[in-house]
Amino acid sequence: MKKISLIGAGQIGGTLAHLIAIKELANVVLFDIDEGIAKGKALDIAQSLAVDGYNVKLSGTNNYEETKDSDVIIITAGVPRKPGMSRDDLLGTNLKIIKQVAEGIKDTSPNAFVICITNPLDVIVMALQKYSNFPKEKVIGMAGILDTSRFKHFIAEELNSEIKNVNSFVLGGHGDTMVPVPNRTTINSKPLNDFIKDGSTTQERIDSIIDRTRKGGAEIVKFLKTGSAFYAPAASGVAMAESYLKNQKKTLPCAACLNGEYGIKDLYVGVPVIIGEKGIEKIIELTLDADEQKSFQTSIDAVRELFNAAKKIDPSLT
Ligand code: A3D
């Protein structure tokens, strides 16, 4: 059995543990600075597995030694948003936390595939790679799958289609400047634009879906009041871990460190990548039209600006 360690046993961490267990994907170690949360959730989920006879071991800890030699590490340690906050407001606090996490994992699991979920995502995953010095193809951020599933969900509702027949990508940074690409969206292999042409929907309605997708996280924060989304973020993180552990080579939109692709170097941004047993095996370069390119550039500028803010907080990141 493979080993997945979850750093952060809060809302997403607990849901990740449950999903991993009922897929029998790996044994799970839940790590949290609050040892009681990690131990309590591990025990509760382990006992739930007895109901259906799933064969997975779970444990909870606040000691990095127990995460030793993990195949995959998924990081959600940090604070989530409260109503009215932007993801960027979390930067100062979560940067300090991610530095501690990098210290904790770098010697204990040097060969792990590391998936970061902590916000503000693109900058935190970039800081994590720099603090840990893990290979860039082994450090990846989860955001694009979540943003894409939100877009796909709204499109499926709008066109009364089964979700599995909707295909799309959301690119760019995980923030208000993210870039849903309606031109690359198909429903039953039919381009989304054709549904506008035949009157099934309108450009205005698609524009409002794009806007709702961009604000999809905030919509949930407002409903929950005490935290942010966790079911869909956890499902997205598990899809990445599964593609790596089973060498599925799925193409998934994730935050990856670009090395010249899309004309960008040394910056983590959301793009489609192939995840297999080597980690990020390929970054897919889509040809963007002028509007998409412009929106993508705006998103990249926003990520770069926030990383500059991070460097001011911690000059060791330069
Ligand atoms: P929450 O339920 O508060 O869990 C976070 C956990 O981290 C808590 O149990 C804390 O005790 C723990 N923690 C804090 N500091 C440390 C530390 N130094 N070491 C280990 N554990 C620590 O939050 P959540 O699970 O809802 O969200 C976790 C993070 O994911 C937040 O930063 C969210 O903003 C972010 N998030 C990202 C997305 C993306 O799509 C990228 C979506 C939703 C949430």
Side-chain angles (χ1 to χ4, degrees):
M1 201 53 136
K2 301 284 186 185
K3 175 172 178 178
I4 300 183
S5 290
L6 306 173
I7 313 298
Q11 295 285 62
I12 304 177
T15 313
L16 280 166
H18 193 212
L19 286 175
I20 292 164
I22 60 177
K23 280 176 171 263
E24 294 186 325
L25 190 58
N27 290 331
V28 177
V29 178
L30 276 153
F31 176 102
D32 204 288
I33 38 160
D34 184 335
E35 189 186 17
I37 286 191
K39 282 197 183 302
K41 288 196 180 181
L43 196 56
D44 187 16
I45 295 168
Q47 290 166 358
S48 81
L49 302 182
V51 178
D52 288 308
Y54 294 111
N55 190 22
V56 169
K57 291 194 174 64
L58 289 109
S59 59
T61 185
N62 62 354
N63 179 353
Y64 276 105
E65 267 307 301
E66 290 181 39
T67 68
K68 198 171 165 52
D69 295 331
S70 297
D71 298 285
V72 174
I73 293 180
I74 309 181
I75 301 168
T76 60
V79 289
R81 282 194 280 175
K82 297 206 170 67
M85 283 174 96
S86 83
R87 294 178 181 93
D88 299 359
D89 295 335
L90 307 173
L91 181 63
T93 308
N94 286 351
L95 202 56
K96 281 195 204 109
I97 291 175
I98 217 67
K99 197 169 190 173
Q100 290 169 10
V101 174
E103 284 302 318
I105 63 173
K106 71 178 186 193
D107 297 326
T108 38
S109 295
N111 300 315
F113 182 56
V114 184
I115 300 168
C116 180
I117 302 187
T118 303
N119 270 321
L121 190 271
D122 308 272
V123 169
I124 292 292
V125 68
M126 187 144 74
L128 172 72
Q129 192 281 323
K130 288 185 189 291
Y131 289 142
S132 64
N133 209 20
F134 279 12
K136 289 175 180 157
E137 68 276 10
K138 289 290 202 76
V139 180
I140 190 165
M142 187 298 292
I145 304 177
L146 171 67
D147 298 330
T148 303
S149 22
R150 285 182 175 148
F151 187 60
K152 282 162 68 171
H153 167 74
F154 296 142
I155 292 287
E157 267 195 334
E158 170 68 7
L159 296 171
N160 202 14
S161 163
E162 277 190 57
I163 191 80
K164 65 175 189 223
N165 297 328
V166 182
N167 270 307
S168 192
F169 272 115
V170 174
L171 306 174
H174 181 58
D176 299 343
T177 59
M178 70 179 76
V179 190
V181 252
N183 288 344
R184 287 175 195 283
T185 304
T186 58
I187 301 93
N188 273 322
S189 308
K190 187 171 148 178
L192 177 59
N193 288 336
D194 289 3
F195 291 85
I196 299 174
K197 283 186 201 136
D198 73 15
S200 307
T201 185
T202 62
Q203 187 62 53
E204 290 68 36
R205 290 182 68 86
I206 298 302
D207 288 345
S208 81
I209 284 177
I210 290 174
D211 188 53
R212 191 174 174 197
T213 302
R214 289 196 171 122
K215 297 173 183 155
E219 183 178 1
I220 292 174
V221 170
K222 208 168 153 197
F223 280 128
L224 296 181
K225 294 180 200 74
T226 53
S228 54
F230 52 100
Y231 292 109
S236 307
V238 171
M240 294 163 74
E242 192 168 20
S243 192
Y244 172 75
L245 289 174
K246 296 187 177 168
N247 194 22
Q248 290 173 327
K249 300 197 192 296
K250 279 193 180 168
T251 302
L252 300 167
C254 301
C257 190
L258 301 187
N259 185 26
E261 299 88 357
Y262 296 89
I264 298 152
K265 259 190 140 139
D266 204 22
L267 195 74
Y268 270 83
V269 193
V271 290
V273 301
I274 295 178
I275 300 180
E277 64 190 351
K278 298 190 185 74
I280 300 172
E281 299 196 348
K282 192 173 167 44
I283 291 175
I284 310 285
E285 272 195 88
L286 302 174
T287 314
L288 302 178
D289 68 24
D291 281 349
E292 290 164 354
Q293 182 61 46
K294 197 168 157 224
S295 306
F296 191 57
Q297 190 58 50
T298 305
S299 189
I300 284 158
D301 292 345
V303 175
R304 222 186 274 284
E305 199 179 308
L306 195 63
F307 193 67
N308 287 336
K311 287 195 278 195
K312 283 199 185 123
I313 297 170
D314 184 354
S316 79
L317 285 169
T318 38

